[in-house]
Structures are given as C-alpha cells and as structure tokens.
Amino acid sequence: MTNKTRTRSLLTLLLAGSTVATFAGQSARAQISPDALRESLRVAPRPGMMPHGGRLFPGSSLNGVPGFPLPTVHSQKAYDPQDSFTAKWTRADAMQIKAHSDTSVAAGQNSLPQQLVMPDVPADFPATNPDVWVWDTWTLIDKKANQFSYNGWEVIFCLTADKNAGYGFDDRHTHARIGYFYRRAGVPASRRPANGGWIYGGHLIPEGAQEQVFAGTDYTITAEWSGSMRLLDPTSNKVSLFYTDMAFNRNAAGQDITPSQAVITQSLGQIHADFNHVWFTGFTTHTPLLRPDGVLYQNGAQNPYYNFRDPFTFEDPQHPGVNYMVFEGNTAGQRGTADCTAEDLGYRTNDPHAETVQQVLSTGAYYQKANIGLAVAENSSLSKWKFLPPLISANCVNDQTERPQMYIKDGKYYIFTISHRTTYAAGVDGPDGVYGFVGNGIRSDFQPMNYGSGLMLGNPTDLNEAAGTDYDANPNQNPRAFQSYSHYVMPDGLVESFIDTVEGRRGGALSPTVKVRLRGDASVVDTRYGNNGLGGYGDISANRAAINVVGFIQDLISQKTLLSADTNTRMRSFLNTSQ
C-alpha cells in the first residue's frame, strides 16, 4: 500500500513538473520571432539517420534541419486529370536530401539516411545471361498494374544488347533491343539458380519492324527503349507493348547530324507457352502514338538533348474505363532560356536560407527542366492518345525523371521515378535511385516523400564527395554509388533494378530485389525481406495468374506436343503448378 501511494505521489509531481515546463516553454516561444521559433523547432540529423531515426517511418516530419530551407508546402490536393495544374518538385524540396545527409562520415562511406538506402550488392554478383547485357526491366501487367504469370510461366521484358558485338557496355543504348525472359511460376527463391533462373527467349520485335515508324526521315540506326507490357485480357493471349521507338542520325564519329527522334509507340502481339518454353508472335505493326509537341513537352528542335520516353499505362479507379499514360519529358521551351520562377524554387516567405531567382539563374540551373508527362487514351484499342499538361515539373532541379510509374495504395496515388546524381542542377544534390511523390489523385499537388525531399530509395552515396560516373569512378566516392539503376516498383513494394557498377565491376545483370514499406508520405527499406533487406537476384514474382486453357492447347498443337506419351502427366503437373 505504501509503495502504491509513493508511486502516485511521484507521478503527480512528474505531471505537475511537465505542465509547468510546457507553459514555461510556450511563454518563452511567444517572446521570440517566428523565424527564430522555426529554427528552434528544426532537429539536427543523427549520423546516417533521418531525425527521430528510432521511428519506423521517420520521414513523415517536415520540420527541416538547421542551416537549410524548409521544404515547400504541398497539399496533396487532387485536381481533375484534364486540369492544367502541374505540381512542382522544387529546389526547396530537393535540398532536403542534402539537409538530411551526414557531413561527418569518412570519405567514401554512405552519408544518406540508412532507411532510404538500398543494401550493398555483392561484388561477386552472377550474370543474368552470358550473351546479353540486361538493364531496364518490366513485367506483364493488367490495367491495375497487377503482375501476371501466363499458363504457369513468369515473364519479364528487358532492354538487352549483345555482349559479343564489339561495342562496350556504355555504348549499349543505341543498340538496345527489347528481349524477354521466362521461368516457371511458383518456384521458391531457395530452389532457383543464384542468378534467378531466368531463361532468355530472344528479341520481342522482329528484326527491323520498328523502323516503319521513321519512314521518310533520315536516320543511321534505330533502337528500342523502355516501356510497359499490357495483358489486354487475362483469359486470352493478346498483349500490347508500349515502348519508346528511337532513331539516331549520326556520322562515323558517333556525333549527331540531326537530333534523335523519340516516338512513343504501340505494337500488338500474342504470348504463347507450352510445357517447355514461352514465345511471342506478332509485333509486326508499329503505331506511333505520341511525339513531343514543343508546346507542353520539349522536342529536338528546342533541345537536341531532350528526354521523351518510357510510357506506362494504367486505368484510374476514380475514372473507370479511362486509360492514362505517364512518361518522361522535359518542360517545353528553348534550351538555355533562363526562365525558372520563384514557384520552381519553392521557398517559403522570409525563409532565411532561401535563394533568389537571380542567384539560381546565375548558376545555369535553368538547363535542367525535367517533368513527368500525362496522356489520355481516346479510343478503346489504346491506339490514339492526347497530351495533357505535365503532372510534375522539376525546373532548375533535375533534368531526368525516367521510367515514371503510377502506384495506387491505400487510396493514395504515388508517382515513382528514377534519376541520376549527375542530372541534378547546380546547387542541389541527390543519389542515383528512386524518387517518390504522393497525392490524392492522378493530378495532385504531389508531395515529395520522406521529409519533403523526394528520395525513396538511393544507392549508398557520400554526398560530401564528388559524384564521378559509373564508367569513370571517383576513388573517394562510395564504390556502390552506381551499384543499381532503373528501379521498377512492383506489387507489395518489391523493387527490381539492374546492376550497373559495383566496386569497379560493370554489370548488365538483374539486381537483387528489395522491398520498400510505404505509409503516407514516408517509406523505409524493409530489412526483414531477404537477407537483411537484400532479396534474390531478379526475384520478380507474379501476384496474379492468367490461365488460358484454349490457348495452351492450341500452343501444344502448334508445337506438336499434344499427343506425346507423357502429355497427361505433364498436363496434370502444369495445372498443379498454375494454381
């Protein structure tokens, strides 16, 4: 009884002291200026960790840190997709990456918050295939971005280039072809080969078929760049490829005679499978969908280094039956025109750490004008599209927002995109990796994730050291700063990418898969997944199964395997695997 009385007395004293301290603090704050109060509320980061690093999702705070501007206020408010509103990834937002980076790490270590960093890829990584490099990778999806296996096989699509053709890894882009890989569905990672067990099926598009898009124009070489693959009906074998058709017009020294041509293109085909393999037919007709218009999206006449690529299509549950496309673009206008505005900078009124527009323009930051574009389909066959204004711009911040995706979870709309450290504008910095933005609809005042920075998943990087490049490394930089790139976010937060450079070893192989947990405007790398956060190489599993019995029988007939002696046994095995 005595102990309980003493405990209650102690609690009473503690509560009274807390109340007095609270009122005293409020009184003291009332006597300081708003700017000083704001500075006092900022929290310095712990080494290698966002402030309040003990929280599972520490990136939800927008208090900022001493010595840096506060992030821009974003409402996440949704607008009609047809509206002209464009959200801005501002300089004030992007500066939060540097603000939350640790300045005290030893040279070549990781200065980024650990919960936003991809775990280290081993330097002895396996090759995905001995004959081709692979990089940008995507999956077979439906209109809701569900990931499908087909008749018992998982299938992925990758940009590929011939390892034995005589050109180097960094010259692969002008030789890129879309290839496909497959493997048995439902096999646990522990039973797969170390490289993921993906079997290379070859090129998807017949040789030269995509050149029809450039008929009547001058070019010396064509290439197939990234996009997405839509399973049009899970009960059939019809698929639609959306990709970036590229044509280059270059002299013998590899210099552009005229700007490259980038055309977002559709091609229809069919997927087939039997007991032994997967193959495709079709993709002989290529329909140009969109060319940059120079009004909403910069074109080659305005900037020979313009970006226009990476279509990703989806249907919005808020607008049933309407199909949209996001893609990478640049803000229209003549390259070199110094036209960034105070809204692009995004500083709050009277922020003592804000830059002026003139200060930013004097650095040449106006050359960086990335955006994420939007288009809407005008017919049910998805062969006619119309531009809508960009969803997000990054003027005076970054020049590339590649491979954008729309990801809908818990009623929130996430846009994920990838970017390079070397494409940031002067005065802002961030790693190679994934950047995320969240809003309440397709077109929103998107808030950059994690302390308003935008960074969701970066390579281990020392922002205190110069970047270097993947092909010409800075010896003082983290040797994994370019370990992976071209991340693709899959259902359940799984993220796949390709290996670029690890400790000086060049890649061209599928990276280990990682998992990211999302909650509102914050995220963390899930270290419970795989081995301390690092999953298997190319651990890309379907979350839906497409079973097309009629198509399967037709494919067996076409391969003359329907009447083989063991067909019944293999059919039972196939049906069991596909369930």
Side-chain angles (χ1 to χ4, degrees), residues 214-219:
F214 305 109
T217 67
D218 294 326
Y219 62 91

Side-chain angles (χ1 to χ4, degrees), residues 5 11 25 37 54 101 117-118 129 140 237 286 327 332 442 495 509 546 559 575:
T5 302
L11 286 172
L37 174 59
S101 184
V117 174
M118 181 173 176
N129 183 270
L140 182 64
N237 71 340
H286 294 254
F327 55 90
I442 287 179
V495 184
Q559 299 298 295
L575 291 174

Side-chain angles (χ1 to χ4, degrees), residues 19-58:
T19 302
V20 170
T22 299
F23 281 118
Q26 290 175 349
S27 177
R29 288 176 184 175
Q31 298 174 24
I32 63 177
S33 68
D35 289 345
L37 174 59
R38 179 181 59 197
E39 289 295 308
S40 71
L41 292 174
R42 301 188 187 197
V43 182
R46 292 168 49 196
M49 183 63 69
M50 288 287 197
H52 311 300
R55 298 179 182 175
L56 181 58
F57 293 93

Side-chain angles (χ1 to χ4, degrees), residues 87-420:
K88 296 182 184 298
W89 184 24
T90 68
R91 287 179 69 87
D93 294 328
M95 282 188 176
Q96 304 309 307
I97 303 171
K98 185 73 171 180
H100 292 284
S101 184
D102 184 6
T103 59
S104 65
V105 299
Q109 299 301 305
N110 171 60
S111 70
L112 300 169
Q114 197 61 46
Q115 74 270 19
L116 303 180
V117 174
M118 181 173 176
D120 288 355
V121 174
D124 61 348
F125 59 83
T128 301
N129 183 270
D131 298 316
V132 294
W133 291 302
V134 302
W135 61 107
D136 297 11
T137 299
W138 60 97
T139 59
L140 182 64
I141 61 174
D142 67 0
K143 61 186 180 182
K144 297 180 180 179
N146 287 307
Q147 214 153 273
F148 278 82
S149 63
Y150 179 78
N151 280 352
W153 297 92
E154 293 170 342
V155 188
I156 59 174
F157 309 90
C158 307
L159 296 190
T160 64
D162 189 347
K163 289 183 179 180
N164 307 306
Y167 50 81
F169 182 60
D170 294 303
D171 297 318
R172 68 192 185 278
H173 301 289
T174 54
H175 303 277
R177 299 286 303 275
I178 297 172
Y180 69 95
F181 293 77
Y182 57 91
R183 70 181 182 195
R184 279 289 185 193
V187 179
S190 60
R191 289 172 48 195
R192 299 184 197 125
N195 69 351
W198 290 103
I199 302 166
Y200 181 46
H203 295 152
L204 191 69
I205 297 173
E207 186 73 33
Q210 88 287 358
E211 294 181 2
Q212 62 194 257
V213 171
F214 305 109
T217 67
D218 294 326
Y219 62 91
T220 56
I221 189 171
T222 62
E224 302 156 12
W225 283 8
S226 294
S228 54
M229 181 70 85
R230 176 84 76 90
L231 181 63
L232 296 175
D233 180 353
T235 64
S236 78
N237 71 340
K238 296 179 181 179
V239 293
S240 177
L241 172 67
F242 299 91
Y243 75 105
T244 315
D245 206 354
M246 295 294 302
F248 303 91
N249 186 27
R250 294 179 170 175
N251 60 25
Q255 300 168 324
D256 286 336
I257 301 170
T258 54
S260 61
Q261 300 179 62
V263 182
I264 291 176
T265 300
Q266 180 192 40
S267 189
L268 300 176
Q270 299 81 39
I271 183 172
H272 306 272
D274 63 8
F275 294 124
N276 303 310
H277 73 306
V278 173
W279 70 100
F280 289 86
T281 56
F283 304 114
T284 55
T285 300
H286 294 254
T287 304
L289 304 179
L290 295 168
R291 291 180 169 89
D293 59 356
V295 178
L296 293 172
Y297 302 100
Q298 195 175 53
N299 58 23
Q302 296 172 329
N303 178 9
Y305 311 106
Y306 74 104
N307 299 299
F308 184 75
R309 53 180 178 261
D310 306 339
F312 178 89
T313 70
F314 62 98
E315 183 179 305
D316 178 20
Q318 293 185 11
H319 300 84
V322 183
N323 283 272
Y324 295 94
M325 175 194 296
V326 290
F327 55 90
E328 178 192 5
N330 287 133
T331 301
Q334 201 65 37
R335 183 174 188 266
T337 300
D339 55 2
C340 290
T341 66
E343 288 72 28
D344 295 317
L345 277 54
Y347 297 114
R348 302 194 200 182
T349 303
N350 298 323
D351 191 320
H353 305 294
E355 306 163 290
T356 67
V357 172
Q358 189 53 51
Q359 285 173 327
V360 173
L361 295 180
S362 68
T363 68
Y366 49 82
Y367 282 96
Q368 282 69 42
K369 302 184 73 172
N371 70 27
I372 294 174
L374 183 67
V376 60
E378 296 188 293
N379 60 10
S380 60
S381 64
L382 309 183
S383 62
K384 186 177 181 182
W385 294 76
K386 179 181 73 172
F387 279 132
L388 297 175
L391 294 179
I392 300 176
S393 66
N395 302 330
C396 277
V397 175
N398 203 312
D399 203 44
Q400 288 189 347
T401 45
E402 300 183 278
R403 299 197 70 198
Q405 298 172 250
M406 188 68 72
Y407 188 97
I408 303 172
K409 181 181 184 294
D410 299 331
K412 289 290 187 180
Y413 286 67
Y414 294 87
I415 292 182
F416 297 129
T417 186
I418 55 174
S419 197
H420 292 285

Side-chain angles (χ1 to χ4, degrees), residues 479-499:
R480 287 177 171 77
F482 301 103
Q483 67 175 1
S484 64
Y485 192 64
S486 198
H487 304 74
Y488 180 80
V489 183
M490 302 179 290
D492 299 321
L494 296 177
V495 184
E496 181 56 38
S497 56
F498 81 94
I499 298 172

